[in-house]
């Protein structure tokens, strides 16, 4: 049988969860990840962006993996358009989160543009982990608000303190963002298809890093998803044909 990867549907009639527990979990994620904005501020300033440019990135882009990818490519001497393209495609995963969350949260139309800005890995993870729509809304809101405020505040502090730190590359702070992203992603890789996609993406990204311009390996790593899905589809079709020939 094909592997089931879709999360369960949240229903209003699901068992209730105390608001305090939801808020505690949401604050834990928001604070833990929000503080890594300091690393982004330092890394961005170290790559040549001004304090204003760094802060505007956090205010308007607000997706850490894409922001780190952008400034990392720029710091490596990559073309700005290539760096922006890599960051853009890395951020498109949030659109898929949005498709799922739009059904679960059922946010009123007037608030959807604001809610869409907070659709990121952390808010999606907290919201999808809740058993009811009320808990999902509460988790999404508290995580989004906490993370947005802390991320932007610590981005400003990091950008202002970059000069005092000195050589930012020596501190390895640019690894903080990807490390947080991987920590959030790893528990979600439950099926063999998901793990295979992640492994191939890592191999493509790291393998092409020495031979392609900065920013391009990130784009190439995205090819892992269609490749694995194609292989999975062929395997599923083969199993189905075998069962048709031998129904035993």
């Amino acid at each position: 049988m094909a592997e089931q990867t879709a999360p369960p549907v949240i229903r209003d009639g699901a068992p209730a969860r105390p608001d305090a527990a939801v808020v505690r979990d949401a604050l834990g994620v928001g604070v833990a990840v929000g503080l890594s904005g300091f690393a982004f501020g330092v890394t961005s300033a170290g790559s040549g962006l001004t304090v204003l440019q760094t802060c505007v990135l956090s205010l308007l882009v607000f997706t850490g993996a894409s922001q780190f990818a952008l400034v990392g490519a720029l710091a490596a001497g990559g073309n700005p358009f290539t760096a922006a393209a890599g960051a853009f495609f890395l951020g498109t995963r949030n659109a898929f989160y949005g498709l799922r969350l739009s059904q679960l949260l059922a946010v009123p139309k007037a608030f959807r543009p604001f809610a869409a800005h907070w659709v990121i890995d952390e808010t999606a993870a907290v919201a999808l982990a809740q058993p009811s729509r009320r808990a999902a809304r509460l988790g999404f809101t508290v995580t989004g608000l906490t993370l947005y405020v802390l991320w932007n505040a610590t981005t400003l502090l990091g950008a202002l303190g970059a000069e005092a730190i000195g050589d930012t590359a020596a501190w390895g702070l640019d690894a903080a963002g990807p490390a947080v992203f991987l920590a959030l992603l790893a528990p979600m890789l439950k099926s063999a298809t998901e793990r295979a996609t992640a492994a191939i993406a890592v191999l493509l990204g790291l393998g092409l890093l020495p031979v392609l311009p900065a920013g391009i390996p990130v784009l190439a790593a995205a090819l892992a998803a269609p490749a694995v899905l194609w292989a999975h589809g062929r395997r599923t079709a083969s199993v189905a044909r075998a069962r048709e020939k031998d129904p035993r």
Side-chain angles (χ1 to χ4, degrees):
M1 295 180 63
E3 295 166 327
Q4 302 298 318
T5 59
V9 176
I10 291 181
R11 296 183 176 88
D12 289 326
R17 188 181 182 210
D19 289 351
V22 178
V23 171
R24 182 190 62 233
D25 292 346
L27 285 175
V29 173
V31 172
V33 180
L35 293 177
S36 64
F38 181 84
F40 170 72
V42 173
T43 304
S44 180
S47 69
L49 272 68
T50 66
V51 173
L52 178 60
Q53 290 171 330
T54 298
C55 291
V56 167
L57 267 177
S58 282
L59 285 168
L60 300 183
V61 178
F62 187 53
T63 173
S66 295
Q67 291 178 231
F68 272 104
L70 175 63
V71 299
L74 292 176
N79 183 285
F81 294 103
T82 302
F88 172 79
F89 282 107
L90 189 58
T92 55
R93 70 190 186 283
N94 295 334
F96 296 99
Y97 295 156
L99 291 174
R100 179 64 177 147
L101 291 176
S102 65
Q103 300 175 3
L104 301 181
L105 302 179
V107 177
K109 290 184 178 180
F111 297 99
R112 287 178 186 175
F114 303 99
H117 193 49
W118 285 358
V119 175
I120 53 176
D121 301 303
E122 295 80 8
T123 55
V126 172
L128 291 172
Q130 307 310 319
S132 67
R133 175 168 282 118
R134 170 185 167 80
R137 285 176 170 175
L138 180 60
F140 177 87
T141 302
V142 174
T143 305
L145 179 61
T146 305
L147 188 50
Y148 191 74
V149 171
L150 276 179
W151 179 266
N152 283 282
T154 55
T155 292
L156 174 60
L157 292 175
L160 291 175
E163 293 183 1
I165 291 178
D167 183 9
T168 57
W171 289 76
L173 293 176
D174 55 335
V180 171
F181 178 71
L182 290 175
L184 289 167
L185 177 65
M188 301 174 68
L189 303 177
K190 298 179 179 179
S191 71
T193 301
E194 292 166 346
R195 290 191 291 269
T197 302
I200 294 175
V202 169
L203 291 175
L204 283 173
L206 294 179
L208 296 175
L209 193 61
V211 297
L212 293 179
I216 299 297
V218 173
L219 300 178
L223 297 175
V228 171
L229 289 175
W230 175 80
H232 179 69
R234 291 204 59 177
R235 186 184 65 178
T236 303
S238 298
V239 171
R241 286 195 298 267
R243 288 179 177 176
E244 289 176 357
K245 294 179 180 179
D246 187 5
R248 293 178 299 175

